[in-house]
Amino acid sequence: PYRRVVVTDGHQDLVERLTEPPREPVTHRRGRPVVFLFPGQGTHYQDMGRALYASEPGFRAHVDHCRELLRGVADADASEADLLGRTDKVCDTRFTHVALFVVEYALARWFADLGVRPDAVIGHSLGAYTAACLAGVLAPEDALTLVAERGRLLAGTAPGAMLAVPLPEDRVRDRLGRHGLDLAAVNDATSCVVSGPAEAVDALTAELAAEGVTGRRLTVSHAFHSRLLDPVLDRFTTVLEGVRLNAPELPFVSDLTGDWADPDEVRRPAYWREHLRRTVRFHDGLSTLYGDARLRDAVLLEVGPGRALGRAARRHPDRAGRLVVAAMPPAGDVAREEPATALHALGTAWAAGADVDAELFHGLTAGDRVPLPG
């Protein structure tokens, strides 16, 4: 029952790490459930996924499979995109949408191939498409079609801005009407994100600053989940009507309702039309996950770039000691940290009690085991 994971690239580093206390002690429980969290746009970074692509053949195979699928289902711009966060494309919504989906999908499949399979999934905005794909609502080629078209359509909307506000929803809602803004997301009980024209976001930022409240502008070029998207809703609905939507085969929390996804609703194009426009209810989704007895003591694995969803999961009042693990480094960290971060997440899930196929990971058989200490 006593387990520890260390990711190291050499003997001396291993010795030093083993003499230090664990940063976050892990309690092992056999068969511990796992929940995958998939982040949305705004968490991406330059060269996202590139180091992992170079070091992990399983991850690379799934990225390459998505690249092949894109040639048949996406528009010309998306099919030419560098899927691993190339510098000149990383902030272009047409490419960021596709790159985020591919990196998250490939990483989720890499974990699943090695035995860490989710018992439930939840996504945040664009991340909901990865969650839906893992849950069987969308085939990978259909998810890529929707993600590519979503990015293309949103890139054609009027430029806008998004602001993270460190105030609860009820203290922000009354300001939205007079500024012409929309509530884009509620990520935890004490903060939310507003969205709309840049000048309106500037006005709200100044109003909050005068009250001693500091908002943070997100790194996006458009106002997602705002009225600025209304002109493209009908065109996106037409695209939705051309793909097959299935009932979930895996428990799937809706970030539109904040509750378990209704199997009938997620099969309707109207659901995904509303998902594009309405508020992301991620905080409510976490409440649903934490309130489910099937997921007691679950490992929450953030499968995608950044730490935003993990921070929200840790701050939630119902967390009750559940383990939250990041699978990729945040923006600003060097991309070479990707392999170490992913391996640490894999090992931490194993240490906590999730199933991991160690022989498959190492390419070993049972006869290759070495008794320790030697």
Side-chain angles (χ1 to χ4, degrees):
Y2 306 104
R3 300 184 178 189
R4 184 174 178 188
V5 56
V6 174
V7 179
T8 179
D9 58 4
H11 177 266
Q12 186 58 38
D13 180 58
L14 173 62
V15 171
E16 291 173 1
R17 288 177 182 269
L18 287 175
T19 59
E20 301 169 354
R23 287 179 296 176
E24 186 173 10
V26 176
T27 302
H28 174 75
R29 182 172 74 81
R30 185 180 178 86
R32 188 187 292 267
V34 178
V35 178
F36 282 5
L37 316 178
F38 295 102
Q41 188 160 334
T43 60
H44 54 281
Y45 55 84
Q46 180 180 328
D47 291 330
M48 175 181 65
R50 190 176 298 278
L52 202 56
Y53 183 89
S55 67
E56 292 298 332
F59 175 80
R60 181 164 61 247
H62 289 299
V63 171
D64 290 343
H65 177 60
C66 287
R67 196 188 304 274
E68 290 300 314
L69 291 176
L70 274 168
R71 290 176 180 159
V73 302
D75 63 279
D77 287 339
S79 64
E80 295 170 1
D82 186 325
L83 302 183
L84 302 173
R86 198 173 64 200
T87 306
D88 59 341
K89 303 293 186 185
V90 71
C91 290
D92 187 326
T93 297
R94 295 171 299 163
F95 301 102
T96 307
H97 264 47
V98 175
L100 266 174
F101 174 85
V102 169
V103 167
E104 290 178 4
Y105 173 78
L107 190 55
R109 290 294 305 271
W110 179 76
F111 277 113
D113 290 345
L114 293 172
V116 182
R117 299 182 177 90
D119 296 276
V121 292
I122 181 174
H124 186 289
S125 189
L126 181 67
Y129 289 84
T130 321
C133 188
L134 266 289
V137 176
L138 289 163
E141 57 270 27
D142 287 331
L144 283 164
T145 295
L146 293 178
V147 166
E149 188 63 13
R150 188 182 193 268
R152 190 186 69 80
L153 289 172
L154 296 190
T157 60
M162 301 180 74
L163 183 74
V165 180
L167 292 174
E169 177 181 354
D170 59 358
R171 292 187 58 191
V172 173
R173 275 199 175 278
D174 62 343
R175 306 171 188 262
L176 300 178
R178 67 173 180 267
H179 286 289
L181 294 168
D182 293 288
L183 187 66
V186 180
N187 296 330
D188 60 50
T190 60
S191 66
C192 52
V193 178
V194 300
S195 183
E199 58 274 15
V201 169
D202 290 340
L204 177 61
T205 302
E207 177 182 298
L208 293 170
E211 301 172 15
V213 178
T214 303
R216 178 177 59 84
R217 289 281 283 264
L218 303 188
T219 309
V220 295
S221 56
H222 295 79
F224 305 132
H225 301 282
S226 82
R227 66 198 69 188
L228 295 183
L229 308 189
D230 290 347
V232 303
L233 292 178
D234 287 344
R235 280 180 283 169
F236 189 57
T237 303
T238 300
V239 180
L240 286 162
E241 291 169 345
V243 303
R244 181 186 178 97
L245 296 165
N246 310 298
E249 300 171 357
L250 185 69
F252 168 37
V253 176
S254 165
D255 62 321
L256 174 60
T257 66
D259 204 345
W260 292 111
D262 184 309
D264 293 326
E265 286 299 314
V266 296
R267 296 177 64 188
R268 297 188 176 109
Y271 171 89
W272 295 98
R273 174 191 175 108
E274 290 297 296
H275 181 270
L276 179 65
R277 174 64 177 85
R278 283 171 48 190
T279 304
V280 176
R281 314 291 321 183
F282 189 74
H283 177 70
D284 293 338
L286 287 174
S287 298
T288 295
L289 287 170
Y290 288 153
D292 194 302
R294 298 171 297 178
L295 301 174
R296 181 178 59 86
D297 293 338
V299 176
L300 275 63
L301 187 58
E302 187 168 5
V303 185
R307 300 285 195 272
L309 302 190
R311 283 195 298 270
R314 287 187 178 92
R315 287 196 295 255
H316 196 285
D318 298 335
R319 179 193 172 191
R322 289 174 179 85
L323 186 64
V324 181
V325 185
M328 293 184 74
D333 281 14
V334 290
R336 64 182 174 83
E337 292 295 328
E338 283 181 348
T341 304
L343 292 174
H344 184 267
L346 180 74
T348 301
W350 165 81
D355 293 327
V356 173
D357 190 334
E359 279 71 29
L360 179 62
F361 174 74
H362 290 290
L364 302 177
T365 66
D368 294 318
R369 291 184 179 274
V370 177
L372 293 177

